[in-house]
């Protein structure tokens, strides 16, 4: 997996085989907290993608300049800077989304997925592989959040991307899906299902 | 225990916990009455206490004990109650069947555990609850509450209560919409508040005798305390439930209730009120005593039951919800593995043996 | 041993990183700050005009209540109509909800006895239950609601009294928080607006103490259009009156102006 040197390989790794949410179980806090609708999941995913790509690029560029002893604080300052940037941008141009996501945008700082990419990959690789790796990770994070958010939105509000598909007359929304409990249940079942199919595929391959 | 209603004579490990090693090898049940074959020899690790009880035998007796409560609820709520119980029952059995099929396990839906889950779930629902909701709750109770953990004996939480908790979060309005019993309401389906809600939100205490016989609004199984008490005492008489659990639970509820009552008798109801209302009786006799989700040691059982009782009253008196029995039991369920570990009797050399009290609990 | 591995190297690395990132952020903030402020203002305006029917402008009054440690600043928005007439008052009410605080914009008619509207600004109550307080159906119950002696609620039935609203089924707690927050906010602002105390007052720079405000109950029949203030006429542009005219009118409150600055 990690031995695959091609740039495309770097990118696809984050999408599936080392997906931050479903495989590495990183970034659980935003994944569980803001995935209550498709739009929120998308916004959080894209904001995180922006941060992880920018932070990884910068970390990769300065990787030879940063003394090993203070690399973590340096990375944190860089990540926090980009997170604040994303937060201000959302507040200025998408105030509604910013209101919905609330404190979870600033909390991207502590998303270990981003720190993980910086520490494990970008600090040891050249710029281009780092960008591809971070981008793959970010998109991998985003698609899981969008799917999770959409499932919860359909069952919990009867709508998808704020477009009502199931009116309250025909379908009484499952309130639980919007609550934190729904996040745990859906994510657990989702990961379980993915693992089930993975195991089955491996069984077939043997 | 020869009065076993289904005349099952299978030798079986009494403790469902032990089913991690698969001793519950069930013979294919015949259509008319399920008579499993007697396995010649059970090779297993401890505990080695064996008796003639079988899991289906116990389960069927529990169903028998629940039957009066079902009949009373049907008397109070007529067709609503009947259809709800039947729906939950069949939804649970079907889910159990499908899950076992999917997992490639022997189909053991006749052992009655899924049926009990269905009946208990139905008894915790309000009579006007929509049937699709009951089906969703049943599926959740069996699939997520039980089978996902590995089936009977391995579930952490009481499946029926988990299903009910899921429904509480899923349909918070529907599950708190109560109707008056058909025996008082002249018009069908008049919405009414339960005695607990009346107490909590309006400060109106209901008459004890009415609560005792159950002519009040509420879920199917929370109306009549006396019938549930009878069912529970029957199980106790048969020796299936350990007296510590219901006694500890109800006792703790009464004492905590008394504490609050003496603190402020205007604001908080008296202890008897706590025992007679809501799910106290149903919970104490049929859910706190669940063999799978309660501790196995004496001390563990005391801690489990007493803490749950205290929590139930605290939720009722101080929490945002009028009823706390469900969450109190679920919360304590999650402590069972810890309690089992903390209170495990020490085995130092000879003489001391691991004690499993009550044979079955 | 290169510079990188010395203590100085570490200090330099952290310093430079912080300065560069900080500078970047400061620059970006300068860029977007006007937009963020405009968003906030637009939200405030929208909420105020939503709760004060007919208002086209408003002025902000910050009043201090309490003293010492318990000092608290309350903000009252005076709604002004097209002709510069008084349209009522808006204020923010806040209460502890089920999950987090509930923040509402409440509108009070110029008659000082009925509410003109309610708009929930922030809430994260349980979806499907408590969050119904933010729905039109619930909010519209407050239009025309009498506030004397206090706003209250009934459950599961149509309210009969003019002061009552119907609580949301299954979410009594959230509904109760709303009415209680309204009551407590009204108690706080009443001394300042009583008998149109704010009518002739302009602008944002005031700091009267509430306890000295005298006066009987509001004259409920009085219509809002009768009294027109010359001060208002020149100051009823679309926005809040951010001008600094310190134009006190001491007709109704004999409070000592302590020239509170903020």
């Amino acid at each position: 997996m990690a031995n695959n040197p091609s740039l495309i390989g770097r990118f696809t790794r984050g999408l599936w085989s080392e997906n931050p949410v479903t495989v590495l179980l990183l970034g659980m806090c935003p994944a569980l907290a803001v995935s209550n609708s498709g739009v929120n999941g998308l916004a959080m995913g894209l904001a995180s993608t922006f941060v992880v790509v920018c932070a990884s690029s910068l970390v990769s560029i300065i990787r030879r300049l940063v003394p090993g002893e203070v690399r973590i604080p340096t990375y944190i300052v860089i990540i926090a800077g980009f997170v604040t940037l994303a937060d201000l941008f959302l507040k200025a141009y998408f105030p509604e989304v910013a209101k919905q996501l609330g404190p979870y945008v600033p909390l991207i700082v502590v998303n270990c997925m981003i720190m993980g990419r910086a520490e494990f990959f970008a600090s040891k690789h050249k710029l281009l592989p780092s960008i591809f790796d971070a981008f793959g990770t970010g998109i991998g994070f985003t698609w899981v959040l969008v799917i999770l958010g959409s499932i919860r939105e359909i069952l919990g509000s009867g709508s998808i991307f704020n477009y009502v598909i199931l009116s309250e007359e025909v379908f009484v929304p499952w309130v639980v899906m919007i609550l934190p409990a729904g996040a745990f249940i859906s994510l657990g079942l989702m990961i379980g299902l993915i693992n089930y199919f993975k195991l089955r595929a491996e069984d077939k391959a043997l | 225990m020869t009065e076993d209603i289904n005349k099952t004579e299978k030798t079986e490990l009494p403790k469902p916990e032990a089913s991690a090693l698969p001793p519950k090898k069930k013979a294919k049940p015949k259509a008319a009455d399920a008579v499993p074959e007697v396995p010649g020899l059970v090779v297993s690790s401890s505990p080695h206490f064996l008796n003639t009880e079988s899991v289906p035998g116990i389960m069927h007796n529990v169903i028998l004990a629940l039957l009066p409560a079902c009949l009373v609820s049907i008397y109070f709520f007529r067709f609503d109650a009947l259809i709800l119980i039947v729906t939950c029952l069949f939804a649970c059995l079907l889910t159990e069947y499908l899950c076992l099929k999917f997992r490639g396990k022997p189909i053991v839906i006749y052992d009655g555990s899924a049926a009990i889950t269905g009946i208990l779930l139905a008894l915790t629902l309000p009579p006007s609850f929509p049937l699709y909701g009951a089906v969703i709750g049943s599926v959740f109770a069996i699939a997520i509450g039980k089978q996902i953990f590995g089936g009977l004996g391995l579930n952490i939480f009481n499946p029926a209560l988990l299903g009910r908790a899921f429904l509480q979060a899923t349909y918070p309005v529907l599950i708190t919409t109560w109707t008056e019993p058909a025996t008082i309401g002249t018009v069908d389906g008049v919405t009414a508040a339960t005695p607990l809600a009346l107490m909590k939100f309006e400060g109106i205490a209901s008459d004890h005798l009415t609560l005792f016989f159950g002519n009040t609004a509420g879920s199917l199984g929370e109306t009549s305390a006396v019938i549930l008490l009878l069912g529970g005492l029957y199980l106790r008489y048969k020796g299936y439930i350990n007296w510590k659990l219901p006694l500890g639970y109800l006792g703790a509820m009464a004492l905590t209730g008394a504490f609050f009552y003496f603190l402020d008798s205007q604001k908080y109801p008296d202890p008897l009120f706590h025992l007679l209302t809501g799910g106290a009786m149903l919970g104490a006799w049929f859910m706190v005593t669940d063999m799978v989700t309660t501790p196995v040691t004496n001390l563990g059982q005391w801690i489990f039951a007493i803490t749950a009782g205290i929590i139930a009253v605290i939720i009722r008196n101080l929490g945002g919800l009028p009823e706390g029995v469900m969450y109190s039991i679920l919360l304590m369920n999650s402590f069972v593995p810890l309690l089992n570990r903390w209170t495990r009797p020490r085995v130092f050399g000879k003489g001391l043996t691991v004690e499993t009290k009550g044979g079955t609990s | 041993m290169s510079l990188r591995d010395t203590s100085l190297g570490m200090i330099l690395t952290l310093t430079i990183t912080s300065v560069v990132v900080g500078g970047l952020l400061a620059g970006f903030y300068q860029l977007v700050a006007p937009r963020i402020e405009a968003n906030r203002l637009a939200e405030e305006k929208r909420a105020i005009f939503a709760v004060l029917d007919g208002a086209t402008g408003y002025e902000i009054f910050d009043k201090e209540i309490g003293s010492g440690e318990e000092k608290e600043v309350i903000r009252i928005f005076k709604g002004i109509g097209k002709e510069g007439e008084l349209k009522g008052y808006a204020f923010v009410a806040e209460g502890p909800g089920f999950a987090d605080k509930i923040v509402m914009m409440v509108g009070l008619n110029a008659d000082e006895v009925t509410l003109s509207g309610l708009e929930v600004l922030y809430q994260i109550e349980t979806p499907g239950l408590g969050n119904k307080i933010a729905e039109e159906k619930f909010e519209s119950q407050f239009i025309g609601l009498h506030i004397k002696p206090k706003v209250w609620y009934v459950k599961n039935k149509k309210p009969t009294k003019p002061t009552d609203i119907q609580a949301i089924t299954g979410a009594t707690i959230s509904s109760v928080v709303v009415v209680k927050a309204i009551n407590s906010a009204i108690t706080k602002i009443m001394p300042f607006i009583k008998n149109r105390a704010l009518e002739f007052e302009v602008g944002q720079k005031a700091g009267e103490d509430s306890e000295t405000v005298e006066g009987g109950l509001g004259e409920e029949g009085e219509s809002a259009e009768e009294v027109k203030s010359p001060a208002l006429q020149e100051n009823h542009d679309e926005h809040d009156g951010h001008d600094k005219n310190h134009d006190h009118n001491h007709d109704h409150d004999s409070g000592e102006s302590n020239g509170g600055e903020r």
Side-chain angles (χ1 to χ4, degrees), chain B residues 60 71 119 171 356:
Chain B
H60 293 147
L71 292 176
I119 295 174
Y171 300 116
T356 49

Side-chain angles (χ1 to χ4, degrees), chain C residues 39-207:
Chain C
N39 287 337
R40 193 196 60 76
L41 210 64
E43 169 71 15
E44 184 179 281
K45 246 165 91 173
R46 190 195 57 76
I48 289 172
F49 296 156
V51 297
L52 288 179
D53 196 30
T56 54
Y58 62 91
E59 289 176 83
I60 300 176
F61 293 87
D62 283 332
K63 300 282 184 184
E64 265 175 28
I65 54 167
S67 57
E69 288 291 295
E70 284 163 19
K71 198 181 275 184
E72 185 184 356
V73 177
I74 52 171
R75 178 165 276 201
I76 304 168
F77 304 95
K78 181 166 78 176
I80 299 157
K82 261 205 183 65
E83 311 290 314
E85 77 277 17
L86 180 66
K87 278 294 184 190
Y89 310 94
F91 49 93
V92 173
E94 215 179 284
F98 209 71
D100 196 358
K101 60 183 180 178
I102 299 175
V103 186
M104 296 153 281
M105 182 71 82
V106 186
L108 181 65
N109 280 324
D111 62 9
E112 295 164 28
V113 263
T114 53
L115 294 180
S116 57
L118 174 91
E119 180 88 4
V120 175
L121 300 179
Y122 175 81
Q123 57 85 19
I124 48 165
E125 299 300 283
T126 318
L129 274 180
N131 78 343
K132 285 189 179 156
I133 59 169
E135 282 178 8
E136 181 65 31
K137 196 171 157 236
F138 182 75
E139 289 178 344
S140 63
Q141 291 191 79
F142 288 87
I143 299 173
L145 199 70
H146 280 248
I147 59 163
K148 284 176 183 170
K150 63 173 180 178
V151 180
W152 207 236
Y153 65 97
V154 293
K155 285 176 30 170
N156 298 329
K157 55 178 185 251
K158 283 268 164 287
T160 48
K161 284 193 280 184
T163 56
D164 285 355
I165 56 129
Q166 186 178 351
I168 294 162
T169 314
T172 319
I173 293 178
S174 305
S175 316
V176 173
V177 171
V178 171
V179 297
K180 281 190 176 162
I182 293 174
N183 284 327
S184 97
I186 286 175
T187 328
K188 279 183 194 161
I189 67 147
M190 226 17 173
F192 298 110
I193 62 166
K194 213 177 223 173
N195 298 329
R196 301 166 167 270
L198 286 183
E199 180 93 31
F200 304 105
E201 227 175 277
V202 179
Q204 192 159 36
K205 210 174 159 199

